[in-house]
Amino acid sequence: MAAYLQWRRFVFFDREMVKEPLGPDGAGGKPFALPPGITVCDSGRGSLVFGDILHMEGQIWFLPRSLQLSSFQAYKLRVTHLYQLKQHSILVSVGEDEEGINPLVKVWNLEKRDGGNPLCTRIFPAIPGNKPTVVSCLTVHENLNFMAIGFADGSVVLTKGDITRDRHSKTQILHEGSYPVTGLAFRQSGKTTHLFVVTTENIQSYMLSVKDHPHLELDTHGCGLRCSSLSDPSQDLQFIVAGNECVYLYQPDERGPCFAFEGHKLIVHWYRGYLIIVSKDRKTSPKSEFAGNEAQNSDKQVLNIYDLCNKFIAYSSIFDDIVDVLAEWGSLYVLTRDGKIHVLQEKDTQTKLEACKSMLFRKNLFEMAINLAKSHHLDSDGLSEIFRQYGDHLYNKGNHDGAIQQYIRTIGKLEPSYVIRKFLDAQRIHNLTAYLQTLHLQSLANADHTTLLLNCYTKLKDSSKLEEFIKTSESEVHFDVETAIKVLRQAGYYSHAVYLAEKHAHHEWYLKIQLEDIKNYQEALRYIGKLPFDQAESNMKRYGKTLMHHVPNETTELLKVLCTDYQPAGDNEGPGMLEGKKANSEEFIPVFANNSRELKAFLEHMTEVQVDSPQGVYDTLLELRLQNWAHEQDEQIKEKLHIETLTLLKSGRFKTVFDKALVLCQMHNFKDGVLYLYEQGKLFQQIMHYHMQNEQYKKVIEVCELYGDQEACLWEQALGYFARKEEDCKEYIAAVLKHIENKNLMPPLLVVQTLAHNSTATLSVIKDYLVNKLQKQSRQIEQDEQRIQKYREETTRIRQEIEDLKSSPKIFQKTKCSICTSALELPSVHFLCGHSFHQHCFESYSENDSECPTCMPENRKVMDMIRAQDQKRDLHDQFQHQLKCSSDGFSVVADYFGRGVFNKLTLITD
């Protein structure tokens, strides 16, 4: 039971008198007054509704917001009860058309008119059974399917169906008793409908949505007329019954809380979360509760407005003889017996809070301030400020646990650093942990907050909380994962850090911790093998050397897979389902810096399974094999390495890096490799020089014989080499001279000069060469002299022919054509050279009318020779002139060489 005397009092309503509107002439402003005798009223649909009972006129009055009062005749005698529905323009009234106890119920449709008055859609007598009795109360369900009428004899009549139509509804007696019915109320919860019935002595609940309407007695005391009401959802639609000692709240199946509000209750209403009670201001003479509302005196009455949730009095004031309290247009209207209307206007939320906040804060009634702010839907910023002040109050009192709970409620509004600074002391670290946890749960923490929270866990040694924090599902991560990993690693919680890194795919951190802190190299290698290709490749480049140092075999195997046909370990795709990716094997060679055995295995694997491996793979493999061959002591193994290396060289993979391969072979003195590469590069002179350096005379001769036709200078170099040797090389010199003689590669004088440097080479060595050479030259001289004589005789003969042609007549005796060899016929063409042609043959074959077609080719050769001689003669004179005048004679000679002036002229004759 709540102690009423302890409740705080506020003034959340402003009281004013309703005044008449100002007229056109400015007149008005007087208190508005209703006609006398109005004792029943209700409100809804934009109007206050009144009914007269004392003056027996049967009028129903409507007062809109404009205060333009209107009425119509509803009954002939009087109106006793009114019920205005809030969601429909339907008004239900009870009144009398004739003397005696004969109440009539009328249902009015206010939207339809009948002769200017509202349309009456239904009339029926309000009689329970056959015995007339007085109607005590009335209520209607907002769905228009239920109407309940209470009587003074304790009966309740229930009308089911469409209450606006006779034929669509059914009336039955729901309740019978010995005590007058003082209150009725429908309660709708989902599809369940209850009817509360209160008498002067008991309270009952009927379930109308179930057949036979089962009922339950809730209490054995009741209340007077108009002393019950139904709350709104803020109080869970509870039925409120106001007795003289207490106010009770009821659910359909049980009694709820009660409040000790003393005083004789006259009127009870519910309005927007407030309980409105009108009660006697002082004790009055005893009288029945049922007639308690029929105030026969003008005693002062107190109107109290209670906030049951927050347990305070929102307003309290004294009035003279209240008829009723109505709610409309967002305000409360208090109708007094003298016809005047007082309006109670609720203050806005901010004004109410400002009015009460200072008092509540001053008296440290923060909980009441918070509840008040919530019930009035104060915004989150305003609530947060109250929480902060409450937290500061508790903190200053030393209640740190309570303070942190209030600060937690400010998260999202109050800067976290304000709270964190207060709780950084080691003795309050558990409070700070609670605050930071909530900050993370609301996803409002930054990296610094995560760092601080994890440090709190580690300081408290609270492993269970730490695990709970980091082992949340992925969809519930409320912190910066990378920051958490860093802090856990720094604090030495490696297993937790690794868990986070693996769960959230922070591969770099996972590997860094496994390799640098835990030193679990096998696990790190297994993890890399599960990564997607790009990440596996980058991490092997980063950590490959470390892994190779500690787990060389396993690392080598992973690299083989990575560079051939990589698929992440544990991938459900079959081998043929997804094409694997390949890394560049050349980029991983530095990983094997100190592991030549594994490097050799890796490179050989790559060249076997991937013939088109990068050139660097073959270069490194060649160098590795040459090193192994050079340092091997076992002859059998060395021979095997020799064969493998030479096979690799002959694989054709070194054409583009010929120089590099050659340098490697020379560095390791790999003779067969050097010679093979010389041969492939057509470096025949280098082959011969190699044999010369090793004084392999037979090999020198063999090289000359093999490649001398492609490079003639080899024989000359061989002769010079043997000539410089002080050893007896007559056999080799003779072989060289024989070939030089056959190919005529050197002048004899140059041969003699070359051999003059050898002290062991005597004249007998070149005797045969010189004799043969002189004999050939003698024969050549004889042939030249014979040719000269022939040319002289030919010249004499030609000159004689020219002279004969000039001085003697020419007789043409040819009988056949020189082209077609047919007998000559006129017309014919004759030339002085003795050739004759048919005219048509001459025209067909001749290129020039003045030249003999038969002699023309030979003549042209001669003419070309003559022109060439003339040009050279001209060039000679010009060359001599330029040579004499130029300051740089060498450049002149070079220029003429470039133009081919000194080239040997070769005549090709038939």
Side-chain angles (χ1 to χ4, degrees):
M1 179 180 292
Y4 161 70
L5 295 177
Q6 296 177 357
W7 286 25
R8 302 286 169 180
R9 291 177 178 269
F10 301 102
V11 182
F12 284 173
F13 288 82
D14 293 323
R15 173 178 172 178
E16 292 181 6
M17 181 77 73
V18 176
K19 296 182 179 181
E20 293 181 355
L22 295 175
D25 55 355
K30 298 178 182 179
F32 180 82
L34 290 169
I38 292 176
T39 56
V40 292
C41 50
D42 203 354
S43 63
R45 307 301 291 178
S47 295
L48 304 182
V49 186
F50 308 105
D52 64 314
I53 187 171
L54 297 182
H55 290 276
M56 299 184 182
E57 294 179 354
Q59 295 281 332
I60 293 180
W61 302 80
F62 294 95
L63 181 65
R65 197 164 194 177
S66 61
L67 302 182
Q68 301 297 321
L69 195 62
S70 63
S71 67
F72 74 96
Q73 184 80 34
Y75 294 90
K76 294 178 181 179
L77 290 181
R78 65 183 66 86
V79 180
T80 60
H81 296 82
L82 291 173
Y83 191 92
Q84 172 66 57
L85 277 80
K86 304 298 184 286
Q87 298 177 16
H88 303 277
S89 295
I90 300 295
L91 175 66
V92 180
S93 64
V94 179
E96 297 175 1
D97 281 340
E98 56 187 25
E99 293 294 343
I101 302 175
N102 189 20
L104 288 176
V105 179
K106 295 186 180 182
V107 181
W108 307 90
N109 189 332
L110 303 182
E111 291 181 346
K112 296 182 180 181
R113 293 287 163 175
D114 180 16
N117 295 330
L119 176 64
C120 181
T121 63
R122 184 180 183 188
I123 303 175
F124 65 93
I127 300 174
N130 299 320
K131 183 181 179 182
T133 183
V134 176
V135 174
S136 59
C137 53
L138 166 71
T139 187
V140 182
H141 199 293
E142 286 293 334
N143 64 13
L144 300 179
N145 286 327
F146 294 103
M147 180 195 300
I149 304 172
F151 296 90
D153 66 353
S155 302
V156 176
V157 172
L158 177 67
T159 300
K160 295 175 61 178
D162 187 353
I163 66 166
T164 63
R165 297 285 186 267
D166 284 320
R167 59 184 176 181
H168 294 142
S169 62
K170 183 173 65 174
T171 301
Q172 68 179 90
I173 297 175
L174 180 68
H175 173 81
E176 290 182 325
S178 304
Y179 305 105
V181 178
T182 57
L184 298 168
F186 286 109
R187 182 185 189 273
Q188 187 71 41
S189 177
K191 295 183 179 182
T192 303
T193 305
H194 287 90
L195 174 64
F196 290 102
V197 178
V198 58
T199 69
T200 56
E201 297 298 330
N202 60 26
I203 303 168
Q204 299 196 32
S205 167
Y206 286 84
M207 185 181 292
L208 303 183
S209 52
V210 177
K211 191 177 181 180
D212 297 333
H213 309 318
H215 70 280
L216 177 67
E217 185 173 34
L218 300 177
D219 217 331
T220 56
H221 61 79
C223 66
L225 279 172
R226 301 199 296 174
C227 290
S228 63
S229 183
L230 190 71
S231 69
D232 60 18
S234 68
Q235 279 292 333
D236 199 20
L237 297 173
Q238 295 186 92
F239 187 53
I240 301 169
V241 176
N244 287 335
E245 300 297 331
C246 295
V247 173
Y248 298 93
L249 275 64
Y250 296 92
Q251 292 283 1
D253 55 354
E254 63 180 352
R255 191 175 85 176
C258 67
F259 299 90
F261 301 150
E262 296 183 355
H264 182 64
K265 315 298 188 300
L266 301 177
I267 301 172
V268 173
H269 285 297
W270 186 267
Y271 169 73
R272 291 187 175 179
Y274 292 115
L275 175 62
I276 302 167
I277 296 180
V278 178
S279 58
K280 290 280 189 180
D281 186 31
R282 58 183 177 80
K283 298 291 183 180
T284 60
S285 58
K287 54 188 171 182
S288 70
E289 289 188 1
F290 180 62
N293 64 312
E294 301 291 341
Q296 300 300 321
N297 51 43
S298 58
D299 293 335
K300 297 292 184 180
Q301 296 172 353
V302 180
L303 183 146
N304 286 322
I305 302 178
Y306 300 96
D307 186 330
L308 300 185
C309 290
N310 301 310
K311 296 183 173 54
F312 63 81
I313 301 173
Y315 182 76
S316 181
S317 183
I318 297 176
F319 291 85
D320 290 331
D321 209 355
I322 297 174
V323 175
D324 207 344
V325 181
L326 305 176
E328 192 65 26
W329 309 307
S331 302
L332 289 173
Y333 291 86
V334 182
L335 174 63
T336 56
R337 189 73 59 188
D338 57 6
K340 295 179 180 179
I341 303 176
H342 302 264
V343 60
L344 299 180
Q345 181 69 46
E346 187 176 9
K347 297 178 180 180
D348 64 84
T349 302
Q350 195 61 38
T351 303
K352 289 189 290 186
L353 289 173
E354 291 299 329
C356 71
K357 197 188 299 181
S358 58
M359 183 190 77
L360 293 175
F361 286 4
R362 188 171 59 253
K363 296 183 179 181
N364 299 324
L365 299 174
F366 291 98
E367 286 293 346
M368 179 176 286
I370 291 168
N371 293 334
L372 177 64
K374 285 182 177 179
S375 64
H376 287 80
H377 308 292
L378 183 64
D379 60 24
S380 56
D381 291 332
L383 275 172
S384 177
E385 178 61 20
I386 298 175
F387 294 143
R388 182 194 66 78
Q389 294 186 36
Y390 191 17
D392 291 346
H393 169 72
L394 295 173
Y395 182 86
N396 293 331
K397 287 178 63 178
N399 183 1
H400 298 128
D401 293 341
I404 203 67
Q405 293 305 316
Q406 299 307 316
Y407 288 134
I408 285 173
R409 299 166 83 175
T410 68
I411 289 176
K413 298 297 179 182
L414 182 63
E415 175 61 37
S417 59
Y418 177 87
V419 180
I420 292 171
R421 283 196 297 269
K422 290 178 176 290
F423 292 89
L424 281 177
D425 190 347
Q427 294 179 350
R428 303 169 192 160
I429 196 169
H430 65 281
N431 299 125
L432 180 59
T433 303
Y435 179 81
L436 292 171
Q437 279 179 335
T438 310
L439 197 65
H440 281 82
L441 286 174
Q442 297 186 20
S443 300
L444 295 173
N446 58 28
D448 293 333
H449 299 146
T450 302
T451 302
L452 188 56
L453 176 58
L454 292 172
N455 283 327
C456 288
Y457 284 139
T458 54
K459 294 286 185 185
L460 293 171
K461 307 293 184 185
D462 194 345
S463 299
S464 60
K465 284 283 187 182
L466 179 60
E467 289 192 12
E468 181 183 348
F469 176 72
I470 67 173
K471 292 187 178 180
T472 53
S473 64
E474 189 170 351
S475 61
E476 298 176 355
V477 175
H478 305 290
F479 56 88
D480 183 75
V481 175
E482 187 169 356
T483 301
I485 294 172
K486 290 179 182 177
V487 175
L488 291 169
R489 184 189 184 201
Q490 187 176 7
Y493 285 79
Y494 300 128
S495 60
H496 295 78
V498 164
Y499 171 83
L500 270 184
E502 182 174 14
K503 179 179 179 182
H504 299 285
H506 285 260
H507 310 308
E508 183 177 351
W509 280 107
Y510 180 91
L511 294 171
K512 190 177 291 186
I513 296 169
Q514 286 283 18
L515 295 174
E516 297 177 9
D517 301 318
I518 304 176
K519 301 190 183 304
N520 189 343
Y521 305 103
Q522 291 279 7
E523 182 60 28
L525 197 63
R526 179 199 63 79
Y527 186 81
I528 293 176
K530 297 193 301 181
L531 296 179
F533 172 78
D534 293 335
Q535 295 169 355
E537 181 185 26
S538 63
N539 281 296
M540 281 306 293
K541 289 178 181 177
R542 184 179 293 112
Y543 302 111
K545 287 185 179 180
T546 303
L547 293 168
M548 183 61 68
H549 177 71
H550 293 91
V551 280
N553 294 331
E554 294 83 349
T555 305
T556 304
E557 291 303 315
L558 179 57
L559 285 174
K560 288 179 181 179
V561 175
L562 189 64
C563 296
T564 51
D565 187 15
Y566 179 78
Q567 288 185 357
D571 200 338
N572 294 327
E573 301 279 357
M577 299 288 288
L578 185 66
E579 183 179 354
K581 294 184 178 181
K582 301 176 183 178
N584 185 347
S585 51
E586 185 177 2
E587 296 176 356
F588 292 98
I589 292 176
V591 171
F592 298 88
N594 299 314
N595 299 76
S596 58
R597 180 172 62 85
E598 285 76 16
L599 175 60
K600 182 172 181 288
F602 173 72
L603 296 176
E604 288 177 346
H605 173 78
M606 291 308 304
T607 55
E608 289 174 7
V609 302
Q610 193 174 319
V611 180
D612 59 343
S613 293
Q615 185 60 44
V617 172
Y618 286 92
D619 295 346
T620 308
L621 181 58
L622 175 62
E623 182 177 4
L624 202 59
R625 286 185 174 177
L626 286 170
Q627 288 177 354
N628 294 341
W629 173 83
H631 295 95
E632 185 56 54
Q633 302 297 323
D634 191 308
E635 289 300 326
Q636 291 183 348
I637 299 176
K638 188 162 189 170
E639 179 61 25
K640 180 182 178 183
L641 291 172
H642 180 279
I643 295 172
E644 290 178 353
T645 307
L646 198 57
T647 302
L648 180 62
L649 276 174
K650 292 180 178 180
S651 65
R653 296 293 307 183
F654 300 93
K655 294 179 180 178
T656 57
V657 289
F658 173 83
D659 294 340
K660 184 175 182 180
L662 182 59
V663 169
L664 287 173
C665 291
Q666 290 172 340
M667 285 173 57
H668 296 87
N669 196 26
F670 189 60
K671 172 183 172 183
D672 290 349
V674 171
L675 293 177
Y676 172 76
L677 291 172
Y678 281 160
E679 182 180 357
Q680 292 300 306
K682 298 186 183 301
L683 302 176
F684 306 129
Q685 293 188 41
Q686 279 79 354
I687 297 176
M688 190 169 71
H689 289 161
Y690 182 87
H691 291 312
M692 288 176 177
Q693 290 174 358
N694 291 280
E695 297 185 348
Q696 296 174 324
Y697 302 148
K698 290 184 178 180
K699 291 289 185 181
V700 172
I701 298 298
E702 288 178 4
V703 170
C704 291
E705 290 174 348
L706 286 173
Y707 311 118
D709 293 341
Q710 301 179 51
E711 200 164 340
C713 64
L714 293 177
W715 291 104
E716 300 175 15
Q717 294 177 11
L719 181 63
Y721 169 73
F722 288 124
R724 289 191 296 274
K725 288 295 180 182
E726 296 301 324
E727 303 173 13
D728 187 4
C729 300
K730 295 179 181 179
E731 176 185 353
Y732 305 109
I733 293 174
V736 173
L737 287 176
K738 181 178 180 181
H739 193 85
I740 290 175
E741 178 186 355
N742 292 336
K743 298 292 185 179
N744 194 22
L745 299 177
M746 293 176 64
L749 183 59
L750 185 58
V751 172
V752 172
Q753 290 175 347
T754 302
L755 292 175
H757 297 292
N758 191 319
S759 59
T760 62
T762 59
L763 187 60
S764 61
V765 176
I766 59 170
K767 175 182 176 182
D768 294 340
Y769 167 77
L770 291 175
V771 169
N772 292 335
K773 199 67 178 175
L774 290 173
Q775 289 176 350
K776 284 184 178 180
Q777 289 183 351
S778 297
R779 288 194 292 272
Q780 185 65 40
I781 292 171
E782 291 178 0
Q783 291 175 357
D784 291 342
E785 288 177 348
Q786 290 176 0
R787 193 177 293 113
I788 291 170
Q789 184 61 33
K790 178 182 177 183
Y791 287 157
R792 285 176 178 171
E793 292 175 354
E794 184 71 17
T795 302
T796 302
R797 183 183 62 76
I798 291 174
R799 285 176 177 171
Q800 184 60 45
E801 287 183 2
I802 293 171
E803 187 63 28
D804 290 345
L805 289 172
K806 289 181 178 180
S807 59
S808 302
K810 179 68 174 178
I811 301 172
F812 300 102
Q813 296 177 337
K814 286 280 186 179
T815 59
K816 292 185 178 180
C817 174
S818 297
I819 292 177
C820 66
T821 67
S822 300
L824 281 175
E825 296 176 355
L826 293 177
S828 58
V829 179
H830 303 277
F831 285 90
L832 294 175
C833 61
H835 295 113
S836 300
F837 307 93
H838 294 113
Q839 184 174 355
H840 63 271
C841 290
F842 174 75
E843 291 176 349
S844 300
Y845 288 94
S846 175
E847 296 180 6
N848 193 332
D849 292 344
S850 60
E851 286 190 67
C852 171
T854 303
C855 299
M856 186 173 64
E858 188 66 26
N859 292 340
R860 284 190 176 178
K861 291 179 183 179
V862 175
M863 292 304 296
D864 289 341
M865 292 173 62
I866 294 171
R867 278 194 295 273
Q869 290 174 353
D870 290 342
Q871 285 180 352
K872 286 193 174 182
R873 183 169 61 250
D874 294 341
L875 284 171
H876 175 73
D877 296 340
Q878 185 180 359
F879 171 71
Q880 291 293 340
H881 176 72
Q882 289 183 358
L883 196 60
K884 289 178 181 179
C885 297
S886 175
S887 60
D888 186 2
F890 180 78
S891 64
V892 175
V893 175
D895 179 54
Y896 274 81
F897 260 110
R899 287 151 59 181
V901 172
F902 303 108
N903 290 351
K904 181 179 179 181
L905 180 66
T906 303
L907 296 180
I908 302 175
T909 65
D910 292 338

